[in-house]
Amino acid sequence: MTITQPQSLKISLHIPPKYLQQSIIFDLASTCNLKVNITSALLGEEADGDGWFNLILTGTKNSLRLALEYLSTLEIEVWTNQDNKQILLQDWDFEGWLLQD
């Protein structure tokens, strides 16, 4: 039996006000079987009702893909830092943006 090593992905989420009462980050952990580390957050008045969360997601590639697909169905923006620039993720190939252990 092959054991898949967990991998980590550092992302930023932009959660619009219509979702602020939903447990989106909890759902990522429980439904997608991920370890979720919130490294920073900006909510409420300073964010004009939007929520911005910096997260490190850890799990299998399949779990990470499931999480990104879940966020995509909700039309939540997922950003990552590549080449020292924040870019909006629109393709889930994982090349170049998984964290190295």
Side-chain angles (χ1 to χ4, degrees), residues 11-64:
I11 62 172
S12 297
L13 298 182
H14 172 238
I15 300 179
K18 70 180 181 180
Y19 290 122
L20 291 181
Q21 297 302 314
Q22 290 186 303
S23 58
I24 291 169
I25 294 173
F26 175 81
D27 291 345
L28 287 176
S30 62
T31 306
C32 301
N33 196 29
L34 292 173
K35 177 181 165 188
V36 178
N37 182 15
I38 301 170
T39 58
S40 64
L42 180 61
L43 300 169
E45 294 174 2
E46 287 105 25
D48 295 326
D50 293 1
W52 284 92
F53 297 87
N54 292 331
L55 308 174
I56 297 176
L57 307 177
T58 303
T60 65
K61 252 190 183 180
N62 191 50
S63 293
L64 293 169

